[in-house]
Amino acid sequence: MKEISKKESTRPNGYDFVFGKINYILMIAGLVILFIGYILLCGGGSDDPNVFNPAMFDSQRLYVAPILIILGFIVEIVAIMYKGKKKEQE
């Protein structure tokens, strides 16, 4: 008889997921933050190259959007690096 070791998978098909549920939730949150940051960064141009549009230097594009993009990448890094608490500690 073959004994099942504790290191083997507990799933019936033998596959384990690399990330847990909280990792995927954090990844989706990070992607949403990145998406919002890139949307805020868009625009500000002008159709006529001879006309200056001051909206290009709005605080939304200079401060808010880059901060959201950096925050989104930080959340993505945390989502990848986060390791949940183990239910069984040996």
Side-chain angles (χ1 to χ4, degrees):
M1 271 206 264
K2 180 181 175 187
E3 290 186 27
I4 299 175
S5 68
K6 293 181 181 181
K7 292 183 180 181
E8 287 187 23
S9 175
T10 57
R11 297 197 180 268
N13 59 1
Y15 296 108
D16 277 337
F17 290 111
V18 176
F19 298 119
K21 183 178 179 181
I22 190 74
N23 295 95
Y24 289 114
I25 292 171
L26 286 172
M27 283 183 197
I28 292 171
L31 288 176
V32 168
I33 293 171
L34 282 170
F35 182 74
I36 292 170
Y38 282 117
I39 292 297
L40 290 176
L41 196 62
C42 291
S46 176
D47 294 333
D48 185 12
N50 296 324
V51 177
F52 176 73
N53 188 357
M56 184 169 49
F57 298 109
D58 190 17
S59 64
Q60 168 187 323
R61 290 181 184 87
L62 287 179
Y63 301 111
V64 177
I67 289 172
L68 280 177
I69 292 171
I70 291 171
L71 183 66
F73 281 120
I74 290 172
V75 170
E76 289 294 322
I77 291 170
V78 168
I80 292 171
M81 301 296 284
Y82 180 77
K83 189 168 187 172
K85 297 178 184 176
K86 292 191 178 195
K87 292 180 181 179
E88 296 178 13
Q89 293 186 3
E90 297 178 348

